[in-house]
Amino acid sequence: MTSFRHQDGAKRRRNPKRHETLVVSPKKQHDPSPDSLTLQRLPFFVWVLFVFVYCCVMMCIQYRSCRFRFARDDIAIARQQSNTLQQQQQSSTPLVANMNQDRIVHVIQTRFMQHQPHLTELGFARLALFETFCLPSMLAQTSNNFLWIIRVDPKLNDEILGRMKERISHRENIILLGSNHNPEGMGRDNTDFDHFLGLKRNNNENKPGIVFSGNVALLKEAFEVSAASNSSVLLETRLDADDALHQMYVEFIQNQAQHYLTNNDVGEDTSDQIWRLWCIHSTVEWHPLNPYPVPTDEASTDDKEKEEGYLLMYADKSICTTPGLTFGYGKGTTRSSILQGRRLKHNEIAATIVHCNGDQKMKCVSRISELSPGALRARSITSAGMVNIVTGDDRLDQSSNGFKQKKDNKQLIQQFSQQDFLWDGLERLFSVTKTSVRDVRSLILSRMNYIAADNLKGLCTPGHSCKENGKVLLSAILNK
């Protein structure tokens, strides 16, 4: 299991010479005879043991309230560093070879500013979040055997588009595609590659797609492997542009697919189409303003000191969040055969699909608890749904923010004093730095009204939220 845990980095080397402690008996202190001295020899390791036990007790007292498995063991760290070095030496050729050898096609899908190209304030803020959270976590994955398709509006602002192209131009397996078309199934239901890219459009739809960056030949080969569904397994993972994935997520999910979908180790009949869903169990959220239910004066004062914002970790079994939600297609399985092609909302997945267990290993949803936390979500006023977003208006936040209302949740409140511990784990598992987070927080807070105005205009555009709560909160920010 890969998780956050407190690690004591202090190392002590044992002296090869034997250490002795000389204790003088006070009653015979002036007796010159040799027998007047009482020698008690205490080996050095005894003192080391005493110090170690004391440190352990103090650590338990300090961190007993932090019950989150929030770090990696040394083996996982070493493996990650080794794999990361290998990634830097690999080209697209090993990626294709691995794909053909394993017959697993893994595609990660991200949407950015689709149908909203004119909202530049919102676009620049979301770009900063993408550069700070999403992109670093994907570049740091312990396996690069995947394709990442980022779909942006074809008319996206030139400066925003240029920065995105610059950030990803060195990675052939990252495809930057100008298209408002979001197909699923990677050729399983429609084998037309140009249609998948959005290059072919009907007369009543927007302009055709454009390939801005990435190796299209590599994408086409993966598409053809997936389209030959009788001999391959497909993984489709969703990732919002302001979210991030655990650095070992790709490696983990592909191992799961190898076990359940490729090798069919579960022993189920493959004559029927098989599939399996995965979603993250625990998530850590970043908030530019204090989301904790602490006294107003303490929160407002602390906001000025926390230049990097706040982290909050939780697990919600009632919902499958967007980052890391993965559809696994077994051999011969199409998108239309999964739930008869129905598109469920995130809160409907957990309620509708049976949970995987010892008896049910296929046609079920599995919660990934081995990576804890498995995903990071940036929660700011750039969010379309505005769920649990802190606006800075105490009265409004107290009435609309779910976390602010949890004043009796001691475990949640305790995280308020454990921010350094959470940040340490975040930097190691997601490759997110405090410096970059401070910059994006400063941008969002300084341009809050302008960003909120753009976000309000963008609500209810195709593919974006149209919740009344979002309209209320954004309007309140503008009227503040």
Side-chain angles (χ1 to χ4, degrees), residues 1 30 58 119 153 194 213 261 340 344 349 425 438 471:
M1 184 188 313
H30 302 290
M58 295 305 296
L119 304 176
D153 193 285
D194 287 344
S213 178
L261 301 177
Q340 294 77 47
L344 297 177
I349 293 176
R438 290 187 186 109
K471 299 177 184 179

Side-chain angles (χ1 to χ4, degrees), residues 160-372:
I160 296 176
L161 179 62
R163 275 175 54 179
M164 294 190 76
K165 292 168 64 176
E166 180 183 355
R167 298 292 189 271
I168 65 176
S169 60
H170 62 291
R171 298 296 291 266
E172 291 190 330
N173 64 322
I174 304 178
I175 313 298
L176 184 61
L177 184 61
S179 173
N180 289 322
H181 183 49
N182 299 294
E184 295 179 334
M186 189 68 171
R188 300 260 168 153
D189 294 274
N190 187 331
T191 57
D192 188 338
F193 182 62
D194 287 344
H195 179 269
F196 174 77
L197 292 180
L199 300 181
K200 291 183 177 180
R201 311 297 292 165
N202 297 328
N203 293 332
N204 62 340
E205 294 182 324
N206 294 329
K207 65 180 291 187
I210 307 169
V211 179
F212 292 119
S213 178
N215 190 332
V216 179
L218 181 64
L219 177 61
K220 185 174 183 180
E221 182 168 353
F223 182 87
E224 292 173 348
V225 172
S226 175
S229 59
N230 290 330
S231 59
S232 64
V233 166
L234 171 64
L235 294 174
E236 277 189 326
T237 298
R238 298 178 186 176
L239 176 63
D240 283 348
D242 57 355
D243 296 338
L245 292 177
H246 189 293
Q247 292 178 358
M248 295 182 68
Y249 180 84
V250 169
E251 179 184 352
F252 174 84
I253 206 69
Q254 290 181 8
N255 288 337
Q256 289 274 295
Q258 190 76 37
H259 176 72
Y260 291 105
L261 301 177
T262 301
N263 297 336
N264 193 35
D265 290 343
V266 297
E268 294 193 7
D269 184 8
T270 57
S271 61
D272 188 15
Q273 292 190 332
I274 57 176
W275 52 269
R276 183 180 173 107
L277 269 61
W278 289 268
C279 68
I280 297 296
H281 175 68
S282 60
T283 303
V284 60
E285 290 188 354
W286 172 78
H287 293 260
L289 297 176
N290 193 344
Y292 289 98
V294 296
T296 304
D297 54 346
E298 181 181 349
S300 58
T301 302
D302 197 67
D303 277 337
K304 299 176 183 178
E305 300 174 355
K306 295 289 186 182
E307 296 180 350
E308 65 274 8
Y310 301 82
L311 297 178
L312 183 151
M313 184 177 168
Y314 67 94
D316 187 350
K317 296 181 180 180
S318 66
I319 191 172
C320 279
T321 56
T322 300
L325 177 60
T326 298
F327 284 69
Y329 302 70
K331 296 177 181 179
T333 304
T334 62
R335 178 62 184 91
S336 58
S337 66
I338 300 179
L339 303 173
Q340 294 77 47
R342 293 164 56 198
R343 268 62 174 175
L344 297 177
K345 297 179 180 179
H346 297 288
N347 61 326
E348 296 175 338
I349 293 176
T352 304
I353 304 176
V354 64
H355 287 235
C356 300
N357 52 51
D359 298 324
Q360 183 85 31
K361 297 182 176 66
M362 294 296 181
K363 299 181 180 179
C364 57
V365 57
S366 173
R367 302 193 70 86
I368 302 174
S369 58
E370 290 85 349
L371 305 179
S372 180

